[in-house]
Amino acid sequence: EDQVTQSPEALRLQEGESSSLNCSYTVSGLRGLFWYRQDPGKGPEFLFTLYSAGEEKEKERLKATLTKKESFLHITAPKPEDSATYLCAGIKAAGNKLTFGGGTRVLVKP
Amino acid sequence: NAGVMQNPRHLVRRRGQEARLRCSPMKGHSHVYWYRQLPEEGLKFMVYLQKENIIDESGMPKERFSAEFPKEGPSILRIQQVVRGDSAAYFCASSPIDNEQFFGPGTRLTVL
């Protein structure tokens, strides 16, 4: 069965304290790995798609990387506005449905 | 350029009533997806539609749930005879062809 697992479940950081979120997956025939940000009461906001091992993408303080078994979301010098739940999801080569992990709740304190 | 629109944002129904959730995809997007987020659980795929076609409904409960995406108008997720366990946030996403999926703000369904 396809599975996406995120760790840790929750992360408390001081402003400026860099850290990494992990997303491990067992999705047969994976075509891509997506990262989203979700604020309370809102829909997921698209951040990145990674398609091949070794690929990296950056946006402001966020950088996503992909290996054959897992993906990392690095948050560099976070600010309080980076507080959110970060979701990763895999998509198979056949079909378009996303399989989501449980998310990592990030709280950045000033 | 408006994003994915969903309405209503909040919907309250009594047990046994019907719930209709609407989704208008982003301009130029011909693929629509519905996901459900139960309290304290992750997002789960329900159904994938293109105009007038259901492509994948492997995540839809077998009874009471149906979805459509007509040639004109929004996509509709319909839940008949709602039960308390249907209370959840329902999210619609859209994409151009088979690329990144962009999500709407969701409809929060409460069943009394």
PDB file of all heavy atoms in Angstrom, chain A residues 64-103:
ATOM      1  N   ALA A  64      13.504  22.521  -0.623  1.00  0.00           N
ATOM      2  CA  ALA A  64      13.063  21.135  -0.651  1.00  0.00           C
ATOM      3  C   ALA A  64      14.046  20.312  -1.459  1.00  0.00           C
ATOM      4  O   ALA A  64      14.529  20.747  -2.506  1.00  0.00           O
ATOM      5  CB  ALA A  64      11.665  21.023  -1.257  1.00  0.00           C
ATOM      6  N   THR A  65      14.351  19.106  -0.935  1.00  0.00           N
ATOM      7  CA  THR A  65      15.252  18.188  -1.620  1.00  0.00           C
ATOM      8  C   THR A  65      14.602  16.819  -1.702  1.00  0.00           C
ATOM      9  O   THR A  65      13.707  16.496  -0.923  1.00  0.00           O
ATOM     10  CB  THR A  65      16.593  18.081  -0.878  1.00  0.00           C
ATOM     11  OG1 THR A  65      16.351  17.547   0.436  1.00  0.00           O
ATOM     12  CG2 THR A  65      17.276  19.435  -0.749  1.00  0.00           C
ATOM     13  N   LEU A  66      15.086  16.004  -2.643  1.00  0.00           N
ATOM     14  CA  LEU A  66      14.487  14.686  -2.870  1.00  0.00           C
ATOM     15  C   LEU A  66      15.573  13.643  -3.079  1.00  0.00           C
ATOM     16  O   LEU A  66      16.540  13.865  -3.818  1.00  0.00           O
ATOM     17  CB  LEU A  66      13.580  14.723  -4.103  1.00  0.00           C
ATOM     18  CG  LEU A  66      12.829  13.434  -4.450  1.00  0.00           C
ATOM     19  CD1 LEU A  66      11.802  13.079  -3.371  1.00  0.00           C
ATOM     20  CD2 LEU A  66      12.142  13.555  -5.811  1.00  0.00           C
ATOM     21  N   THR A  67      15.424  12.498  -2.371  1.00  0.00           N
ATOM     22  CA  THR A  67      16.251  11.325  -2.633  1.00  0.00           C
ATOM     23  C   THR A  67      15.320  10.217  -3.117  1.00  0.00           C
ATOM     24  O   THR A  67      14.129  10.456  -3.299  1.00  0.00           O
ATOM     25  CB  THR A  67      16.995  10.853  -1.367  1.00  0.00           C
ATOM     26  OG1 THR A  67      16.032  10.260  -0.458  1.00  0.00           O
ATOM     27  CG2 THR A  67      17.691  12.008  -0.678  1.00  0.00           C
ATOM     28  N   LYS A  68      15.854   9.010  -3.277  1.00  0.00           N
ATOM     29  CA  LYS A  68      15.019   7.920  -3.784  1.00  0.00           C
ATOM     30  C   LYS A  68      13.992   7.442  -2.764  1.00  0.00           C
ATOM     31  O   LYS A  68      13.025   6.783  -3.128  1.00  0.00           O
ATOM     32  CB  LYS A  68      15.897   6.769  -4.246  1.00  0.00           C
ATOM     33  CG  LYS A  68      16.633   7.064  -5.547  1.00  0.00           C
ATOM     34  CD  LYS A  68      17.367   5.845  -6.077  1.00  0.00           C
ATOM     35  CE  LYS A  68      18.036   6.160  -7.395  1.00  0.00           C
ATOM     36  NZ  LYS A  68      18.784   5.007  -7.938  1.00  0.00           N
ATOM     37  N   LYS A  69      14.201   7.766  -1.479  1.00  0.00           N
ATOM     38  CA  LYS A  69      13.298   7.246  -0.454  1.00  0.00           C
ATOM     39  C   LYS A  69      12.643   8.327   0.379  1.00  0.00           C
ATOM     40  O   LYS A  69      11.691   8.057   1.111  1.00  0.00           O
ATOM     41  CB  LYS A  69      14.056   6.297   0.476  1.00  0.00           C
ATOM     42  CG  LYS A  69      14.500   5.003  -0.172  1.00  0.00           C
ATOM     43  CD  LYS A  69      15.144   4.073   0.855  1.00  0.00           C
ATOM     44  CE  LYS A  69      15.551   2.762   0.198  1.00  0.00           C
ATOM     45  NZ  LYS A  69      16.193   1.840   1.177  1.00  0.00           N
ATOM     46  N   GLU A  70      13.177   9.560   0.334  1.00  0.00           N
ATOM     47  CA  GLU A  70      12.616  10.581   1.197  1.00  0.00           C
ATOM     48  C   GLU A  70      12.871  11.974   0.641  1.00  0.00           C
ATOM     49  O   GLU A  70      13.683  12.164  -0.278  1.00  0.00           O
ATOM     50  CB  GLU A  70      13.201  10.462   2.609  1.00  0.00           C
ATOM     51  CG  GLU A  70      14.708  10.529   2.695  1.00  0.00           C
ATOM     52  CD  GLU A  70      15.246  10.121   4.062  1.00  0.00           C
ATOM     53  OE1 GLU A  70      14.464  10.001   5.019  1.00  0.00           O
ATOM     54  OE2 GLU A  70      16.464   9.939   4.156  1.00  0.00           O
ATOM     55  N   SER A  71      12.145  12.908   1.231  1.00  0.00           N
ATOM     56  CA  SER A  71      12.311  14.302   0.870  1.00  0.00           C
ATOM     57  C   SER A  71      12.469  15.102   2.158  1.00  0.00           C
ATOM     58  O   SER A  71      11.954  14.719   3.214  1.00  0.00           O
ATOM     59  CB  SER A  71      11.086  14.802   0.091  1.00  0.00           C
ATOM     60  OG  SER A  71      11.215  16.178  -0.225  1.00  0.00           O
ATOM     61  N   PHE A  72      13.201  16.201   2.064  1.00  0.00           N
ATOM     62  CA  PHE A  72      13.390  17.082   3.208  1.00  0.00           C
ATOM     63  C   PHE A  72      12.929  18.482   2.840  1.00  0.00           C
ATOM     64  O   PHE A  72      13.124  18.937   1.705  1.00  0.00           O
ATOM     65  CB  PHE A  72      14.867  17.120   3.608  1.00  0.00           C
ATOM     66  CG  PHE A  72      15.376  15.828   4.172  1.00  0.00           C
ATOM     67  CD1 PHE A  72      15.990  14.896   3.343  1.00  0.00           C
ATOM     68  CD2 PHE A  72      15.231  15.527   5.517  1.00  0.00           C
ATOM     69  CE1 PHE A  72      16.449  13.692   3.851  1.00  0.00           C
ATOM     70  CE2 PHE A  72      15.691  14.331   6.034  1.00  0.00           C
ATOM     71  CZ  PHE A  72      16.306  13.413   5.199  1.00  0.00           C
ATOM     72  N   LEU A  73      12.341  19.143   3.839  1.00  0.00           N
ATOM     73  CA  LEU A  73      12.037  20.557   3.697  1.00  0.00           C
ATOM     74  C   LEU A  73      12.858  21.288   4.741  1.00  0.00           C
ATOM     75  O   LEU A  73      12.651  21.101   5.938  1.00  0.00           O
ATOM     76  CB  LEU A  73      10.539  20.826   3.904  1.00  0.00           C
ATOM     77  CG  LEU A  73      10.103  22.279   3.689  1.00  0.00           C
ATOM     78  CD1 LEU A  73      10.258  22.671   2.221  1.00  0.00           C
ATOM     79  CD2 LEU A  73       8.656  22.478   4.124  1.00  0.00           C
ATOM     80  N   HIS A  74      13.827  22.061   4.265  1.00  0.00           N
ATOM     81  CA  HIS A  74      14.711  22.790   5.153  1.00  0.00           C
ATOM     82  C   HIS A  74      14.145  24.202   5.330  1.00  0.00           C
ATOM     83  O   HIS A  74      13.822  24.871   4.344  1.00  0.00           O
ATOM     84  CB  HIS A  74      16.122  22.862   4.561  1.00  0.00           C
ATOM     85  CG  HIS A  74      16.671  21.524   4.164  1.00  0.00           C
ATOM     86  ND1 HIS A  74      17.234  20.653   5.060  1.00  0.00           N
ATOM     87  CD2 HIS A  74      16.722  20.905   2.953  1.00  0.00           C
ATOM     88  CE1 HIS A  74      17.630  19.545   4.424  1.00  0.00           C
ATOM     89  NE2 HIS A  74      17.327  19.676   3.152  1.00  0.00           N
ATOM     90  N   ILE A  75      14.075  24.626   6.602  1.00  0.00           N
ATOM     91  CA  ILE A  75      13.626  25.987   6.890  1.00  0.00           C
ATOM     92  C   ILE A  75      14.833  26.727   7.481  1.00  0.00           C
ATOM     93  O   ILE A  75      15.315  26.363   8.567  1.00  0.00           O
ATOM     94  CB  ILE A  75      12.463  26.016   7.886  1.00  0.00           C
ATOM     95  CG1 ILE A  75      11.345  25.054   7.456  1.00  0.00           C
ATOM     96  CG2 ILE A  75      11.907  27.427   8.007  1.00  0.00           C
ATOM     97  CD1 ILE A  75      10.172  25.003   8.420  1.00  0.00           C
ATOM     98  N   THR A  76      15.301  27.727   6.768  1.00  0.00           N
ATOM     99  CA  THR A  76      16.500  28.469   7.177  1.00  0.00           C
ATOM    100  C   THR A  76      16.090  29.782   7.838  1.00  0.00           C
ATOM    101  O   THR A  76      15.306  30.544   7.285  1.00  0.00           O
ATOM    102  CB  THR A  76      17.383  28.765   5.966  1.00  0.00           C
ATOM    103  OG1 THR A  76      17.739  27.530   5.333  1.00  0.00           O
ATOM    104  CG2 THR A  76      18.651  29.506   6.381  1.00  0.00           C
ATOM    105  N   ALA A  77      16.622  30.010   9.051  1.00  0.00           N
ATOM    106  CA  ALA A  77      16.347  31.246   9.800  1.00  0.00           C
ATOM    107  C   ALA A  77      14.864  31.579   9.782  1.00  0.00           C
ATOM    108  O   ALA A  77      14.462  32.639   9.270  1.00  0.00           O
ATOM    109  CB  ALA A  77      17.180  32.396   9.240  1.00  0.00           C
ATOM    110  N   PRO A  78      14.030  30.682  10.312  1.00  0.00           N
ATOM    111  CA  PRO A  78      12.579  30.895  10.216  1.00  0.00           C
ATOM    112  C   PRO A  78      12.107  32.122  10.982  1.00  0.00           C
ATOM    113  O   PRO A  78      12.722  32.553  11.965  1.00  0.00           O
ATOM    114  CB  PRO A  78      11.989  29.618  10.831  1.00  0.00           C
ATOM    115  CG  PRO A  78      13.053  29.112  11.742  1.00  0.00           C
ATOM    116  CD  PRO A  78      14.338  29.462  11.086  1.00  0.00           C
ATOM    117  N   LYS A  79      10.964  32.647  10.510  1.00  0.00           N
ATOM    118  CA  LYS A  79      10.288  33.770  11.161  1.00  0.00           C
ATOM    119  C   LYS A  79       8.932  33.275  11.659  1.00  0.00           C
ATOM    120  O   LYS A  79       8.419  32.256  11.181  1.00  0.00           O
ATOM    121  CB  LYS A  79      10.108  34.914  10.164  1.00  0.00           C
ATOM    122  CG  LYS A  79      11.419  35.475   9.639  1.00  0.00           C
ATOM    123  CD  LYS A  79      11.175  36.643   8.705  1.00  0.00           C
ATOM    124  CE  LYS A  79      12.499  37.243   8.251  1.00  0.00           C
ATOM    125  NZ  LYS A  79      12.299  38.426   7.366  1.00  0.00           N
ATOM    126  N   PRO A  80       8.318  34.015  12.595  1.00  0.00           N
ATOM    127  CA  PRO A  80       7.001  33.596  13.103  1.00  0.00           C
ATOM    128  C   PRO A  80       5.972  33.336  12.001  1.00  0.00           C
ATOM    129  O   PRO A  80       5.128  32.441  12.135  1.00  0.00           O
ATOM    130  CB  PRO A  80       6.600  34.766  13.996  1.00  0.00           C
ATOM    131  CG  PRO A  80       7.899  35.305  14.499  1.00  0.00           C
ATOM    132  CD  PRO A  80       8.845  35.176  13.335  1.00  0.00           C
ATOM    133  N   GLU A  81       6.051  34.074  10.905  1.00  0.00           N
ATOM    134  CA  GLU A  81       5.088  33.872   9.819  1.00  0.00           C
ATOM    135  C   GLU A  81       5.287  32.555   9.079  1.00  0.00           C
ATOM    136  O   GLU A  81       4.446  32.181   8.242  1.00  0.00           O
ATOM    137  CB  GLU A  81       5.121  35.048   8.819  1.00  0.00           C
ATOM    138  CG  GLU A  81       6.487  35.375   8.262  1.00  0.00           C
ATOM    139  CD  GLU A  81       7.135  36.544   8.999  1.00  0.00           C
ATOM    140  OE1 GLU A  81       7.048  36.594  10.249  1.00  0.00           O
ATOM    141  OE2 GLU A  81       7.745  37.395   8.298  1.00  0.00           O
ATOM    142  N   ASP A  82       6.347  31.833   9.359  1.00  0.00           N
ATOM    143  CA  ASP A  82       6.546  30.495   8.789  1.00  0.00           C
ATOM    144  C   ASP A  82       5.792  29.434   9.586  1.00  0.00           C
ATOM    145  O   ASP A  82       5.788  28.254   9.204  1.00  0.00           O
ATOM    146  CB  ASP A  82       8.029  30.136   8.754  1.00  0.00           C
ATOM    147  CG  ASP A  82       8.820  31.036   7.813  1.00  0.00           C
ATOM    148  OD1 ASP A  82       8.292  31.372   6.730  1.00  0.00           O
ATOM    149  OD2 ASP A  82       9.955  31.406   8.168  1.00  0.00           O
ATOM    150  N   SER A  83       5.165  29.818  10.676  1.00  0.00           N
ATOM    151  CA  SER A  83       4.373  28.877  11.470  1.00  0.00           C
ATOM    152  C   SER A  83       3.189  28.390  10.648  1.00  0.00           C
ATOM    153  O   SER A  83       2.407  29.196  10.127  1.00  0.00           O
ATOM    154  CB  SER A  83       3.871  29.554  12.750  1.00  0.00           C
ATOM    155  OG  SER A  83       4.947  29.957  13.568  1.00  0.00           O
ATOM    156  N   ALA A  84       3.073  27.083  10.520  1.00  0.00           N
ATOM    157  CA  ALA A  84       2.018  26.471   9.697  1.00  0.00           C
ATOM    158  C   ALA A  84       2.182  24.957   9.803  1.00  0.00           C
ATOM    159  O   ALA A  84       3.138  24.467  10.412  1.00  0.00           O
ATOM    160  CB  ALA A  84       2.134  26.902   8.243  1.00  0.00           C
ATOM    161  N   THR A  85       1.272  24.233   9.180  1.00  0.00           N
ATOM    162  CA  THR A  85       1.456  22.801   8.991  1.00  0.00           C
ATOM    163  C   THR A  85       1.988  22.580   7.582  1.00  0.00           C
ATOM    164  O   THR A  85       1.429  23.102   6.614  1.00  0.00           O
ATOM    165  CB  THR A  85       0.137  22.034   9.186  1.00  0.00           C
ATOM    166  OG1 THR A  85      -0.304  22.172  10.536  1.00  0.00           O
ATOM    167  CG2 THR A  85       0.314  20.552   8.887  1.00  0.00           C
ATOM    168  N   TYR A  86       3.056  21.810   7.475  1.00  0.00           N
ATOM    169  CA  TYR A  86       3.655  21.526   6.176  1.00  0.00           C
ATOM    170  C   TYR A  86       3.325  20.091   5.797  1.00  0.00           C
ATOM    171  O   TYR A  86       3.540  19.150   6.569  1.00  0.00           O
ATOM    172  CB  TYR A  86       5.169  21.751   6.231  1.00  0.00           C
ATOM    173  CG  TYR A  86       5.490  23.218   6.376  1.00  0.00           C
ATOM    174  CD1 TYR A  86       5.566  23.798   7.637  1.00  0.00           C
ATOM    175  CD2 TYR A  86       5.685  24.033   5.249  1.00  0.00           C
ATOM    176  CE1 TYR A  86       5.823  25.160   7.775  1.00  0.00           C
ATOM    177  CE2 TYR A  86       5.951  25.391   5.381  1.00  0.00           C
ATOM    178  CZ  TYR A  86       6.010  25.945   6.650  1.00  0.00           C
ATOM    179  OH  TYR A  86       6.258  27.290   6.781  1.00  0.00           O
ATOM    180  N   LEU A  87       2.774  19.945   4.601  1.00  0.00           N
ATOM    181  CA  LEU A  87       2.294  18.654   4.118  1.00  0.00           C
ATOM    182  C   LEU A  87       3.128  18.205   2.932  1.00  0.00           C
ATOM    183  O   LEU A  87       3.476  19.018   2.065  1.00  0.00           O
ATOM    184  CB  LEU A  87       0.840  18.766   3.647  1.00  0.00           C
ATOM    185  CG  LEU A  87      -0.188  19.279   4.651  1.00  0.00           C
ATOM    186  CD1 LEU A  87      -1.504  19.581   3.957  1.00  0.00           C
ATOM    187  CD2 LEU A  87      -0.405  18.243   5.746  1.00  0.00           C
ATOM    188  N   CYS A  88       3.445  16.925   2.887  1.00  0.00           N
ATOM    189  CA  CYS A  88       4.025  16.394   1.661  1.00  0.00           C
ATOM    190  C   CYS A  88       3.093  15.334   1.095  1.00  0.00           C
ATOM    191  O   CYS A  88       2.291  14.735   1.819  1.00  0.00           O
ATOM    192  CB  CYS A  88       5.436  15.859   1.851  1.00  0.00           C
ATOM    193  SG  CYS A  88       5.552  14.269   2.657  1.00  0.00           S
ATOM    194  N   ALA A  89       3.160  15.138  -0.205  1.00  0.00           N
ATOM    195  CA  ALA A  89       2.259  14.206  -0.887  1.00  0.00           C
ATOM    196  C   ALA A  89       2.968  13.625  -2.093  1.00  0.00           C
ATOM    197  O   ALA A  89       3.707  14.314  -2.790  1.00  0.00           O
ATOM    198  CB  ALA A  89       0.972  14.916  -1.318  1.00  0.00           C
ATOM    199  N   GLY A  90       2.729  12.332  -2.338  1.00  0.00           N
ATOM    200  CA  GLY A  90       3.290  11.672  -3.509  1.00  0.00           C
ATOM    201  C   GLY A  90       2.224  11.461  -4.557  1.00  0.00           C
ATOM    202  O   GLY A  90       1.046  11.310  -4.242  1.00  0.00           O
ATOM    203  N   ILE A  91       2.657  11.466  -5.818  1.00  0.00           N
ATOM    204  CA  ILE A  91       1.745  11.211  -6.921  1.00  0.00           C
ATOM    205  C   ILE A  91       2.375  10.140  -7.789  1.00  0.00           C
ATOM    206  O   ILE A  91       3.573  10.158  -8.064  1.00  0.00           O
ATOM    207  CB  ILE A  91       1.447  12.505  -7.713  1.00  0.00           C
ATOM    208  CG1 ILE A  91       0.287  12.310  -8.683  1.00  0.00           C
ATOM    209  CG2 ILE A  91       2.682  13.028  -8.435  1.00  0.00           C
ATOM    210  CD1 ILE A  91      -0.244  13.610  -9.264  1.00  0.00           C
ATOM    211  N   LYS A  92       1.572   9.178  -8.211  1.00  0.00           N
ATOM    212  CA  LYS A  92       2.075   8.058  -8.986  1.00  0.00           C
ATOM    213  C   LYS A  92       2.152   8.420 -10.471  1.00  0.00           C
ATOM    214  O   LYS A  92       1.493   9.350 -10.933  1.00  0.00           O
ATOM    215  CB  LYS A  92       1.167   6.846  -8.808  1.00  0.00           C
ATOM    216  CG  LYS A  92       1.108   6.336  -7.383  1.00  0.00           C
ATOM    217  CD  LYS A  92      -0.070   5.399  -7.177  1.00  0.00           C
ATOM    218  CE  LYS A  92       0.154   4.030  -7.763  1.00  0.00           C
ATOM    219  NZ  LYS A  92       0.900   3.152  -6.819  1.00  0.00           N
ATOM    220  N   ALA A  93       2.927   7.620 -11.183  1.00  0.00           N
ATOM    221  CA  ALA A  93       3.034   7.827 -12.625  1.00  0.00           C
ATOM    222  C   ALA A  93       1.688   7.579 -13.301  1.00  0.00           C
ATOM    223  O   ALA A  93       1.322   8.242 -14.265  1.00  0.00           O
ATOM    224  CB  ALA A  93       4.096   6.908 -13.209  1.00  0.00           C
ATOM    225  N   ALA A  94       0.956   6.602 -12.770  1.00  0.00           N
ATOM    226  CA  ALA A  94      -0.367   6.307 -13.321  1.00  0.00           C
ATOM    227  C   ALA A  94      -1.421   6.923 -12.413  1.00  0.00           C
ATOM    228  O   ALA A  94      -1.530   6.564 -11.259  1.00  0.00           O
ATOM    229  CB  ALA A  94      -0.562   4.798 -13.399  1.00  0.00           C
ATOM    230  N   GLY A  95      -2.186   7.838 -12.934  1.00  0.00           N
ATOM    231  CA  GLY A  95      -3.233   8.453 -12.124  1.00  0.00           C
ATOM    232  C   GLY A  95      -2.776   9.761 -11.516  1.00  0.00           C
ATOM    233  O   GLY A  95      -1.590  10.093 -11.516  1.00  0.00           O
ATOM    234  N   ASN A  96      -3.681  10.531 -11.019  1.00  0.00           N
ATOM    235  CA  ASN A  96      -3.378  11.867 -10.532  1.00  0.00           C
ATOM    236  C   ASN A  96      -3.689  12.085  -9.067  1.00  0.00           C
ATOM    237  O   ASN A  96      -3.646  13.215  -8.599  1.00  0.00           O
ATOM    238  CB  ASN A  96      -4.169  12.895 -11.356  1.00  0.00           C
ATOM    239  CG  ASN A  96      -3.449  13.233 -12.653  1.00  0.00           C
ATOM    240  OD1 ASN A  96      -2.453  12.607 -12.987  1.00  0.00           O
ATOM    241  ND2 ASN A  96      -3.958  14.200 -13.374  1.00  0.00           N
ATOM    242  N   LYS A  97      -3.997  11.044  -8.321  1.00  0.00           N
ATOM    243  CA  LYS A  97      -4.361  11.301  -6.936  1.00  0.00           C
ATOM    244  C   LYS A  97      -3.131  11.469  -6.072  1.00  0.00           C
ATOM    245  O   LYS A  97      -2.123  10.784  -6.238  1.00  0.00           O
ATOM    246  CB  LYS A  97      -5.253  10.189  -6.382  1.00  0.00           C
ATOM    247  CG  LYS A  97      -4.583   8.858  -6.169  1.00  0.00           C
ATOM    248  CD  LYS A  97      -5.607   7.887  -5.607  1.00  0.00           C
ATOM    249  CE  LYS A  97      -5.022   6.531  -5.317  1.00  0.00           C
ATOM    250  NZ  LYS A  97      -6.047   5.570  -4.846  1.00  0.00           N
ATOM    251  N   LEU A  98      -3.215  12.427  -5.146  1.00  0.00           N
ATOM    252  CA  LEU A  98      -2.139  12.687  -4.205  1.00  0.00           C
ATOM    253  C   LEU A  98      -2.351  11.838  -2.953  1.00  0.00           C
ATOM    254  O   LEU A  98      -3.449  11.775  -2.416  1.00  0.00           O
ATOM    255  CB  LEU A  98      -2.119  14.161  -3.811  1.00  0.00           C
ATOM    256  CG  LEU A  98      -1.747  15.166  -4.906  1.00  0.00           C
ATOM    257  CD1 LEU A  98      -1.934  16.596  -4.408  1.00  0.00           C
ATOM    258  CD2 LEU A  98      -0.316  14.952  -5.361  1.00  0.00           C
ATOM    259  N   THR A  99      -1.269  11.214  -2.476  1.00  0.00           N
ATOM    260  CA  THR A  99      -1.272  10.499  -1.205  1.00  0.00           C
ATOM    261  C   THR A  99      -0.520  11.365  -0.215  1.00  0.00           C
ATOM    262  O   THR A  99       0.690  11.569  -0.369  1.00  0.00           O
ATOM    263  CB  THR A  99      -0.616   9.121  -1.321  1.00  0.00           C
ATOM    264  OG1 THR A  99      -1.331   8.342  -2.266  1.00  0.00           O
ATOM    265  CG2 THR A  99      -0.618   8.412   0.028  1.00  0.00           C
ATOM    266  N   PHE A 100      -1.227  11.875   0.794  1.00  0.00           N
ATOM    267  CA  PHE A 100      -0.660  12.831   1.730  1.00  0.00           C
ATOM    268  C   PHE A 100      -0.086  12.151   2.966  1.00  0.00           C
ATOM    269  O   PHE A 100      -0.595  11.120   3.432  1.00  0.00           O
ATOM    270  CB  PHE A 100      -1.725  13.826   2.202  1.00  0.00           C
ATOM    271  CG  PHE A 100      -1.969  14.949   1.244  1.00  0.00           C
ATOM    272  CD1 PHE A 100      -2.919  14.822   0.237  1.00  0.00           C
ATOM    273  CD2 PHE A 100      -1.260  16.136   1.335  1.00  0.00           C
ATOM    274  CE1 PHE A 100      -3.147  15.854  -0.652  1.00  0.00           C
ATOM    275  CE2 PHE A 100      -1.478  17.177   0.458  1.00  0.00           C
ATOM    276  CZ  PHE A 100      -2.427  17.043  -0.549  1.00  0.00           C
ATOM    277  N   GLY A 101       0.956  12.771   3.530  1.00  0.00           N
ATOM    278  CA  GLY A 101       1.417  12.424   4.865  1.00  0.00           C
ATOM    279  C   GLY A 101       0.569  13.159   5.893  1.00  0.00           C
ATOM    280  O   GLY A 101      -0.304  13.963   5.543  1.00  0.00           O
ATOM    281  N   GLY A 102       0.836  12.874   7.158  1.00  0.00           N
ATOM    282  CA  GLY A 102       0.048  13.468   8.231  1.00  0.00           C
ATOM    283  C   GLY A 102       0.393  14.917   8.538  1.00  0.00           C
ATOM    284  O   GLY A 102      -0.330  15.585   9.273  1.00  0.00           O
ATOM    285  N   GLY A 103       1.513  15.392   7.989  1.00  0.00           N
ATOM    286  CA  GLY A 103       1.885  16.789   8.201  1.00  0.00           C
ATOM    287  C   GLY A 103       2.816  16.988   9.389  1.00  0.00           C
ATOM    288  O   GLY A 103       2.890  16.167  10.313  1.00  0.00           O
TER     289      GLY A 103
END
